[in-house]
Amino acid sequence: MEPGAAVTGSDVSADGLIAELLDMGFDFDDITAAVGAIGPRRAEVLEVLLGGPGPGASAGQAKRGGGAPSRPASSTALPRPAGKGTKSSNPRGRLRQSSITNHISSAAGSRNESGREACASFPCSESPVDHTVPVGVHVCSKLGSELQFSIENTRTDCSYKDKVGAVLQKHFGFSSLKGFQMEVLNAWFAHKDCLVLAATGSGKSLCFQIPALLTTKIVVVISPLISLMHDQCLKLAKHGISACFLGSGQPDSRVEGKAMAGMYKIVYVCPETVLRLMEPLKKLAEKPGIALFAIDEVHCVSKWGHDFRPDYRKLSVLRENFNSSKLKFLKHDIPLMALTATATIPVRDDIVKSLKMLEDTTIVLTSFFRSNLRFSVKHSKTSASSYRKDFQELIGTYNASRKFKGKEQQILHEIDPDSESSSCDSLNDSASDDEDANIDSASRGAKNAGKLKTGMTLVKENTENELDLYPGVDDFDVSCGEFLEALQPESSVFPAQSSETSSSECLELGPTIVYVPTRKETVELANFLCKSGLRAAAYNAKMPKSHLRKVHQQFHCNELEVVVATIAFGMGIDKSNVRRIIHYGFPQSLEAYYQEAGRAGRDGKLSDCTLYCNFLRAPTLLPNKRSEEQTKAAYRMLRDCFHYSLNTSTCRAKILVKYFGEEFGPDRCDMCDVCINGPPQMHDFKEEAIVLMNVLHGRSVSIQGDETEDMICSNVSHYRSGRRRFGEAPNFIMVVSHIREKLPRYAATDRIWWQGLARILEGMGYIQEAAETPRVSIQHPELTEEGLKFLNSRSQQPLYAHPDAAMLLAMNDPRPFSESSEWGRGWADPAIRRQRLAGRKTGRRKRMRRSGQGQHPTGFTTAKERLAAILSKKRKR
Ligand SMILES: Nc1ncnc2c1ncn2[C@@H]1O[C@H](COP(=O)(O)OP(=O)(O)OP(=O)(O)O)[C@@H](O)[C@H]1O
Ligand SMILES: [Mg+2]
């Protein structure tokens, strides 16, 4: 059979058939025995190899009886087809379990040891169960913000339940489906489109994997990353389910033809490939049929989401083309199943609309609350100078565990002479060059990064203050998945926990992921941790693939204690025992934060999610390429993150789940830092609020509330309530300076504190941002109608509120920005500031005069003169 030819199911030559079946992973001896007994009839041979009846059965048994060669440890016995229960296990249909090295080498176009090109596909383990169940189930809810969900599960079809239970037990080893998984399956049985919103790690994949095992039809899964598809295919192979992925990462050109001929139960594709394969998919829909289209990580559809992929939007073609009015052979529209863990209400609406999902789409919404995640936020400069303080505890924990085990600390990454050099190798080099574990400046970090062995590209790109984008679909072969955990469990650096230490209060030892915003920081922090004795590695998109692969592999095998990564270390990480997720610096959105934090504790055990960030500096890092609309959305998302970090009074879990539109039942998690520490004492902010709002309104007041129009600052005198053109609104810095200047009692107050008050008033709806594109912190405040009403009411009521985290910092340390010098402290006083600024100007002029630099090289002294000269030159031209 020619490579690339589609498999049609007709008879083929014996050699071709043997080659094809070998590629599918069947044992050579079993194949030759079956082909010898039956002849080169593909369908029958396949049936025999898959455990069906026929002459091949005896052939296979005979062969085995004759002493089949022993199989590698990674081989997986084929499960028996349903309903064909025999006591002995299937003797013939052994799979060659794909090893990760096969897949990696195949990705690189290399050959495996047997000389055949490794095939990134995963053969089917059983004949599908033909099952068509009449269904009258209605698990429905309205779309959009009035989301409702009927938990009434009316299905009483025992055989259906039994079949699901049998498949679940047989392939996955689980005793029962989770409630939401059952709801999703019910919707699928009812031929309905379904939007599944369930927490990270809750088991969404099973919702589309089970249907593949209940029918003879194929499940097509659309996924955003090849590494994610790859990871899932490996897991399915492990569970004895045939799957493959298609697209640019697929090294074997024949797989696509086989997939379109229905040879794999589950076919993973990226959106681009779906668009290209519309015609073959229509044929597949006719025979053997498509059970459903699952669109995983469906938040990528929405522009309002945190990880927008334009090609996802084009997936509306699925609903437009695969319906019973377009394809006459269909009895029902092929159901769409869209799944995500992070979709706010606007994102959900956008998904349903963009994908043109049906009116009666079922929405299955589970709680986003993860009861085993302990959230906390800590103030930090998040620079190299604070590493020692912030990571002291983490370093102590890992080092203590090793001491306890009597192991010596070791340098971590052995250099593989054959592989591309990696940053970790170099990190170790740096570590041995310099025994001092302290890194206290960015320049030092850059210097260490400069020692990396990996050549200029890596050095330059990894030391830039650049953000990583979410990985593109071509991000192939870096993910290994949990599959590897099973391969090398003995290599774990984490001591086994005794049952006494695994109480809900005690955090077990397990791997940590530290997310940092920039590539440069991945290298710097990993370097620091390595030097402090931890098994740590850096991970960012610009590092060599071989290094990234190694990090994935070591992480999944529990050889690494800490991975310091950008967002590139992302979707598809389904590792059960991650105990800590640390964000060192602000994430780009709360959606991203929750998804990243959700990689902790997937085994249900207590895990920590800690955000270190600078309360005094609003986050500013935005992705490079963005439209105006995206800039606005990016600032809004950063602002939500900033407010989350500054919150001192509401349970963190509550804020997070509320962000996704969920009303949090218990009101508090009793685990996060806010629940544990309790809120700070409330303050009556009325006096300061009136001062601030009066200035915004264009008048100043004394503390008692008497208006003194003569105190009006000329800069803000024109300012009246109501929306106005950007530029007319006063700058917040100006407003605070004005207050400090005019009211001596506020002369030494900090702007950070006033910004906190502005956030409180904004939250109450009394002030708002006047600029078209609101930044993270309010910059051009203006009064709202509500604010004006409050101001005019001259109410005697106090205005109590909890100070936020930045205000508390400013109150506890009255000079958070001005360092410790007297000189710095003096800047808070407007009189001293004016004096100093005046001194600066005259000093500069004097110096220029003395050195004869009074004139610009062009001969003009002022910028205005220079500009006039340039304009006249242009005019002459
Ligand atoms: N019914 C079940 N009983 C027990 N464990 C389950 C069940 N369903 C799924 N799981 C397990 O839950 C884990 C997470 O599953 P999965 O990867 O599907 O999560 P997910 O919801 O897709 O997460 P993410 O949003 O991060 O992609 C897997 O290890 C899976 O084996
Ligand atoms: Mg998933």
Side-chain angles (χ1 to χ4, degrees):
M1 185 183 201
E2 288 300 310
V7 177
T8 59
S10 57
D11 292 349
V12 286
S13 77
D15 283 354
L17 179 61
I18 291 170
E20 187 197 337
L21 295 170
L22 277 171
D23 259 351
M24 288 169 67
F26 292 106
D27 191 279
F28 179 75
D29 293 338
D30 292 344
I31 299 169
T32 44
V35 173
I38 301 167
R41 290 194 292 278
R42 195 185 153 281
E44 283 163 54
V45 170
L46 245 183
E47 197 181 346
V48 166
L49 289 171
L50 289 169
S58 53
Q61 274 154 1
K63 184 76 201 169
R64 197 178 83 265
S70 62
R71 276 142 187 124
S74 59
S75 290
T76 310
L78 272 174
R80 291 187 306 277
K84 294 190 174 120
T86 54
K87 281 200 178 119
S88 61
S89 63
N90 187 324
R92 297 169 306 283
R94 296 264 179 138
L95 290 182
R96 182 196 61 198
Q97 175 69 62
S98 319
S99 86
I100 188 64
T101 39
N102 279 353
H103 294 284
I104 289 166
S105 59
S106 69
S110 60
R111 283 169 180 271
N112 60 23
E113 67 286 356
S114 66
R116 292 190 308 271
E117 207 175 84
C119 171
S121 58
F122 307 85
C124 183
S125 63
E126 68 161 324
S127 306
V129 182
D130 191 5
H131 181 77
T132 43
V133 182
V135 176
V137 190
H138 189 73
V139 187
C140 192
S141 67
K142 281 186 191 169
L143 297 184
S145 33
E146 312 136 55
L147 202 67
Q148 284 172 14
F149 177 62
S150 156
I151 48 166
E152 188 192 24
N153 190 350
T154 52
R155 171 164 294 281
T156 51
D157 185 338
C158 283
S159 74
Y160 154 77
K161 275 191 177 166
D162 291 348
K163 271 174 184 157
V164 171
V167 160
L168 189 68
Q169 182 67 51
K170 185 161 109 185
H171 286 278
F172 300 96
F174 300 142
S175 53
S176 61
L177 280 180
K178 297 182 181 180
F180 88 92
Q181 291 171 331
M182 200 68 200
E183 309 291 356
V184 179
L185 280 186
N186 283 342
W188 169 70
F189 264 111
H191 312 289
K192 285 183 165 191
D193 287 353
C194 184
L195 175 60
V196 187
L197 304 144
T200 47
S202 55
K204 292 184 287 299
S205 318
L206 218 62
C207 299
F208 55 78
Q209 287 166 352
I210 295 270
L213 303 170
L214 295 176
T215 74
T216 52
K217 296 178 182 179
I218 309 300
V219 168
V220 178
V221 185
I222 292 99
S223 176
L225 289 181
I226 289 175
S227 56
L228 189 61
M229 303 180 206
H230 190 255
D231 189 42
Q232 294 219 351
C233 286
L234 282 171
K235 280 191 185 146
L236 287 168
K238 203 169 137 191
H239 293 305
I241 302 163
S242 68
C244 70
F245 64 87
L246 307 178
S248 53
Q250 176 52 260
D252 187 340
S253 58
R254 291 168 298 178
V255 172
E256 188 171 301
K258 291 178 189 173
M260 292 304 111
M263 287 188 60
Y264 304 100
K265 287 305 300 167
I266 305 185
V267 179
Y268 285 85
V269 277
C270 54
E272 296 90 318
T273 311
V274 170
L275 300 171
R276 179 171 62 78
L277 293 178
M278 285 310 279
E279 289 315 309
L281 280 171
K282 282 178 191 167
K283 282 190 192 134
L284 190 66
E286 186 168 13
K287 204 174 170 210
I290 294 177
L292 70 105
F293 287 106
I295 306 170
D296 203 9
E297 308 293 351
V298 74
H299 57 269
C300 296
V301 166
S302 176
K303 279 186 193 166
W304 314 117
H306 63 100
D307 189 11
F308 171 55
R309 316 264 166 136
D311 277 318
Y312 255 74
R313 271 190 114 66
K314 298 180 193 157
L315 291 175
S316 56
V317 294
L318 295 176
R319 182 38 66 246
E320 286 160 355
N321 285 279
F322 295 89
N323 57 56
S324 51
S325 47
K326 269 268 170 70
L327 302 178
K328 297 294 174 205
F329 53 82
L330 288 179
K331 274 194 207 143
H332 306 277
D333 298 352
I334 297 178
L336 298 185
M337 189 186 285
L339 310 100
T340 177
T342 52
T344 55
I345 291 172
V347 172
R348 286 174 219 171
D349 291 344
D350 198 20
I351 290 168
V352 172
K353 226 187 277 167
S354 311
L355 294 180
K356 302 201 168 141
M357 293 173 85
L358 295 173
E359 285 264 299
D360 65 343
T361 293
T362 298
I363 296 188
V364 175
L365 175 67
T366 70
S367 174
F368 289 98
F369 177 53
R370 297 266 311 270
S371 60
N372 63 323
L373 299 188
R374 190 162 61 182
F375 291 95
S376 62
V377 179
K378 293 184 177 167
H379 170 65
S380 163
K381 273 186 173 173
T382 59
S383 63
S385 62
S386 44
Y387 289 170
R388 178 165 278 272
K389 180 166 84 50
D390 295 338
F391 291 98
Q392 197 176 18
E393 199 186 319
L394 189 79
I395 292 165
T397 307
Y398 285 124
N399 284 343
S401 78
R402 261 182 256 119
K403 209 167 153 191
F404 178 71
K405 293 287 285 179
K407 279 187 189 169
E408 276 184 25
Q409 283 185 23
Q410 290 174 357
I411 298 291
L412 310 178
H413 307 279
E414 285 164 29
I415 300 169
D416 174 4
D418 298 332
S419 73
E420 287 175 63
S421 53
S422 73
S423 68
C424 272
D425 305 336
S426 318
L427 290 171
N428 286 328
D429 291 343
S430 314
S432 53
D433 285 345
D434 184 356
E435 290 307 314
D436 180 10
N438 265 320
I439 303 173
D440 48 17
S441 73
S443 62
R444 174 81 171 281
K447 191 179 135 214
N448 284 331
K451 288 182 193 168
L452 299 176
K453 275 175 154 188
T454 38
M456 279 315 290
T457 323
L458 180 64
V459 171
K460 187 174 165 290
E461 285 170 341
N462 289 319
T463 54
E464 279 169 1
N465 264 319
E466 282 293 316
L467 303 181
D468 269 351
L469 296 173
Y470 284 98
V473 73
D474 290 336
D475 165 45
F476 176 58
D477 83 8
V478 294
S479 175
C480 302
E482 248 181 348
F483 182 57
L484 283 164
E485 269 182 281
L487 291 180
Q488 295 167 301
E490 69 285 357
S491 60
S492 172
V493 292
F494 304 110
Q497 301 285 314
S498 70
S499 52
E500 296 103 73
T501 57
S502 61
S503 78
S504 64
E505 292 308 313
C506 179
L507 198 67
E508 280 188 9
L509 207 61
T512 297
I513 305 174
V514 183
Y515 283 106
V516 290
T518 64
R519 288 175 209 143
K520 180 180 170 181
E521 287 163 284
T522 59
V523 176
E524 282 182 0
L525 181 55
N527 195 3
F528 169 76
L529 295 174
C530 284
K531 283 178 180 177
S532 305
L534 300 198
R535 293 172 176 269
Y539 188 107
N540 71 56
K542 290 288 174 175
M543 290 181 151
K545 282 267 158 92
S546 65
H547 168 78
L548 302 183
R549 214 179 292 139
K550 197 171 168 185
V551 173
H552 262 281
Q553 188 177 333
Q554 293 190 341
F555 173 71
H556 282 285
C557 296
N558 293 325
E559 285 175 26
L560 279 175
E561 287 162 330
V562 185
V563 175
V564 185
T566 58
I567 53 172
F569 195 63
M571 280 191 280
I573 295 179
D574 180 27
K575 182 166 172 57
S576 60
N577 66 337
V578 177
R579 287 278 82 86
R580 292 173 186 81
I581 301 281
I582 296 175
H583 281 79
Y584 204 64
F586 285 104
Q588 286 181 24
S589 70
L590 280 185
E591 282 130 297
Y593 178 67
Y594 204 51
Q595 192 172 60
E596 283 149 14
R599 285 167 202 146
R602 288 164 88 98
D603 53 8
K605 292 184 183 171
L606 181 72
S607 305
D608 273 347
C609 305
T610 313
L611 167 62
Y612 286 87
C613 55
N614 194 340
F615 297 157
L616 306 177
R617 228 170 264 175
T620 49
L621 279 175
L622 296 176
N624 284 337
K625 289 175 200 161
R626 54 181 198 270
S627 65
E628 207 182 313
E629 198 184 13
Q630 283 167 329
T631 304
K632 269 189 195 174
Y635 275 126
R636 201 191 54 242
M637 292 193 281
L638 281 182
R639 195 161 41 144
D640 292 335
C641 290
F642 194 42
H643 287 188
Y644 168 80
S645 75
L646 297 179
N647 151 66
T648 51
S649 54
T650 312
C651 165
R652 302 231 182 252
K654 182 177 171 137
I655 297 182
L656 289 167
V657 300
K658 210 172 164 192
Y659 189 73
F660 296 107
E662 179 181 339
E663 266 316 314
F664 188 48
D667 207 50
R668 43 184 291 149
C669 68
D670 285 325
M671 285 214 299
C672 70
D673 54 346
V674 177
C675 287
I676 296 297
N677 302 330
Q681 209 181 5
M682 281 188 141
H683 282 247
D684 179 8
F685 290 108
K686 179 143 179 236
E687 184 182 302
E688 294 86 355
I690 288 181
V691 168
L692 177 64
M693 288 160 80
N694 266 318
V695 173
L696 297 185
H697 190 42
R699 61 193 184 203
S700 270
V701 290
S702 71
I703 305 305
Q704 282 72 34
D706 311 322
E707 290 189 22
T708 49
E709 290 293 338
D710 59 313
M711 287 174 72
I712 292 172
C713 169
S714 59
N715 286 327
V716 291
S717 60
H718 63 270
Y719 203 70
R720 292 288 176 270
S721 140
R723 200 157 274 281
R724 60 190 42 76
R725 275 190 302 122
F726 173 63
E728 284 180 6
N731 187 298
F732 193 79
I733 299 173
M734 232 162 64
V735 172
V736 176
S737 299
H738 175 69
I739 295 171
R740 282 184 190 147
E741 211 162 309
K742 297 289 174 188
L743 297 167
R745 97 167 259 185
Y746 297 118
T749 51
D750 203 298
R751 180 157 50 90
I752 298 294
W753 188 92
W754 288 101
Q755 275 171 334
L757 179 63
R759 276 188 293 272
I760 290 173
L761 295 178
E762 201 182 7
M764 291 174 168
Y766 293 162
I767 67 171
Q768 65 187 14
E769 173 65 59
E772 290 268 312
T773 306
R775 297 295 171 95
V776 176
S777 280
I778 199 156
Q779 293 212 315
H780 297 275
E782 65 178 0
L783 275 187
T784 60
E785 288 298 325
E786 266 312 290
L788 193 61
K789 238 190 264 171
F790 171 79
L791 204 56
N792 292 336
S793 72
R794 295 176 186 245
S795 152
Q796 295 302 307
Q797 292 293 317
L799 203 150
Y800 276 111
H802 293 289
D804 71 18
M807 292 174 96
L808 287 175
L809 260 189
M811 279 148 68
N812 294 337
D813 179 6
R815 48 190 164 77
F817 262 146
S818 42
E819 305 298 339
S820 55
S821 73
E822 274 302 317
W823 194 89
R825 214 177 303 170
W827 277 95
D829 184 334
I832 297 176
R833 203 167 56 239
R834 261 198 306 276
Q835 204 182 327
R836 282 183 186 162
L837 284 171
R840 260 191 187 178
K841 269 185 202 161
T842 50
R844 186 165 163 259
R845 271 191 214 129
K846 265 186 209 164
R847 272 199 306 280
M848 282 174 81
R849 234 179 283 140
R850 239 183 280 136
S851 61
Q853 290 174 342
Q855 278 197 331
H856 193 265
T858 54
F860 301 102
T861 46
T862 65
K864 212 171 171 184
E865 279 176 296
R866 281 201 296 279
L867 185 66
I870 291 165
L871 288 175
S872 75
K873 238 187 201 175
K874 272 193 176 168
R875 248 177 260 132
K876 273 180 206 161
R877 258 192 241 143

